[in-house]
Amino acid sequence: DRQLRLWGQHGQASLEAAKICLINSSATGAEILKNLVLPGIGSFTIMDDKLVQASDLGSSFFVTASSVGQPRAKVVTELVQELNEYVEGSYIEENAEKVLESHPEVFFPFTLIIATQLPEEPLRKLAALCWQRNIPLLIAHTYGLFGYVRVAVPEHRVVESRPEVTLDDLRVTNPFPELLEYARSFDLSTADGHAHAHIPYVVILIQLLEQFKAQHDGRIPRSRQEKDQFKQMIRSAARTHMEENFDEALKASNRLVVPYSVPSEVWAVLDSERCSALSPDSPPFWIIAAAVAGF
């Protein structure tokens, strides 16, 4: 439940479908993998040709004294997999540099490749391969207490951004004809007590905003004084302090009674060349964006 609140159902589904390749099961790589296995990725594969050394015991939680001399990929795979029995784990006892040279197609099935402690030259080759195949590449390198993390990916699309602050557009300042007709069907002055307390707060805002605009040359509240005046109109329209719908209208007046405009980040998507240059390989995101832009 906590995970769904963090990244939603689509995020969890993407996590469960993820096929991760970890190059080099160093202490850094093992910790990264641990944090992916715990919430539940689909599967992981460790590619590492090194053996566990005594120096690994002082930095990695996923090797033991009894595993010194054993293949590091095998040891880390077995211990990490104990954290989540539903995640499939495997390992390849090969050098990543040699794999890149001889049979790079091994990397094609993965949805994310994590490269740790990889030298620059093979890292460049791997980055070029991942870029060409549109496979996200996470690069991590540590030097004692220092390190860096980089992400190489041609494009990353976030459909559910889950912003901390959302501005709802309920068309209060510019209602479409059907909404305006619906709002005008309520009579605030003659409705009985029960009906008056159950009038939708959007209707209250639309009706009182019409009255305000009639008194101010068609303008909506702009200045602090005008906004306070509009709030007083809402308070005056309420019959008792127990009417929650008028409290809702009062609380929502600041964020709903504003002219709506399409956010700049949305225009950036709609104006993108990706919308006007669709192809059979275009992701659903850009197909939908092109449809919205056309509409």
Side-chain angles (χ1 to χ4, degrees):
D1 181 64
R2 179 177 60 181
Q3 293 175 196
L4 292 178
R5 289 199 299 270
L6 284 173
W7 46 65
Q9 292 183 350
H10 288 104
Q12 185 64 30
S14 297
L15 197 66
E16 293 174 358
K19 298 179 180 179
I20 309 296
C21 175
L22 172 65
I23 298 176
N24 293 330
S25 50
S26 61
T28 303
E31 284 297 317
I32 295 173
L33 189 60
K34 176 203 73 175
N35 291 326
L36 291 170
V37 167
L38 284 173
I41 55 175
S43 63
F44 70 87
T45 299
I46 295 178
M47 183 178 294
D48 193 345
D49 65 336
K50 295 181 176 61
L51 302 178
V52 177
Q53 300 179 1
S55 59
D56 293 324
L57 302 179
S59 59
S60 177
F61 290 105
F62 295 96
V63 295
T64 61
S66 61
S67 63
V68 173
Q70 297 182 33
R72 191 166 64 174
K74 174 179 178 294
V75 173
V76 173
T77 296
E78 291 174 350
L79 291 179
V80 169
Q81 202 167 10
E82 290 181 3
L83 299 174
N84 192 334
E85 61 181 1
Y86 298 105
V87 177
E88 297 181 12
S90 61
Y91 60 91
I92 301 173
E93 293 181 50
E94 291 190 63
N95 183 281
E97 299 179 43
K98 295 179 180 179
V99 172
L100 279 169
E101 294 292 341
S102 58
H103 45 289
E105 64 276 3
V106 170
F107 296 105
F108 293 175
F110 296 108
T111 59
L112 172 66
I113 296 176
I114 304 170
T116 64
Q117 312 301 104
L118 197 63
E120 181 178 352
E121 188 57 33
L123 187 57
R124 286 179 178 273
K125 294 180 180 179
L126 178 62
L129 175 70
C130 291
W131 193 275
Q132 181 183 12
R133 303 288 302 186
N134 199 26
I135 302 173
L137 172 63
L138 177 68
I139 304 163
H141 209 113
T142 54
Y143 308 88
L145 297 177
F146 297 91
Y148 70 85
V149 175
R150 296 185 64 183
V151 178
V153 60
E155 181 180 84
H156 180 61
R157 299 171 298 275
V158 179
V159 178
E160 294 186 1
S161 58
R162 302 175 69 84
E164 295 182 1
V165 178
T166 58
L167 295 176
D168 301 319
D169 176 25
L170 299 183
R171 301 295 295 270
V172 171
T173 59
N174 186 27
F176 48 90
E178 293 82 1
L179 177 59
L180 186 58
E181 181 182 359
Y182 173 76
R184 289 172 175 172
S185 67
F186 292 84
D187 193 331
L188 296 179
S189 59
T190 61
D192 60 43
H194 181 269
H196 195 266
H198 288 81
I199 296 174
Y201 78 87
V202 174
V203 170
I204 297 171
L205 290 175
I206 291 175
Q207 283 204 20
L208 295 181
L209 188 59
E210 277 197 301
Q211 296 179 23
F212 182 92
K213 290 164 69 175
Q215 301 169 9
H216 295 80
D217 300 323
R219 291 187 294 103
I220 66 173
R222 292 180 180 176
S223 65
R224 178 64 178 272
Q225 182 180 359
E226 289 177 342
K227 291 180 179 180
D228 289 343
Q229 182 182 349
F230 182 68
K231 287 182 178 180
Q232 186 56 45
M233 291 176 65
I234 298 175
R235 294 188 186 95
S236 299
R239 294 178 183 173
T240 70
H241 67 280
M242 299 294 290
E243 293 183 313
E244 294 183 0
N245 52 340
F246 283 86
D247 288 338
E248 289 178 320
L250 196 61
K251 293 176 182 178
S253 61
N254 276 339
R255 60 185 177 86
L256 293 184
V257 185
V258 292
Y260 182 78
S261 61
V262 178
S264 58
E265 58 268 22
V266 175
W267 275 121
V269 171
L270 300 181
D271 289 339
S272 171
E273 293 181 359
R274 299 293 299 274
C275 282
S276 56
L278 295 179
S279 70
D281 297 326
S282 295
F285 176 89
W286 288 112
I287 295 174
I288 295 173
V292 173
F295 178 81

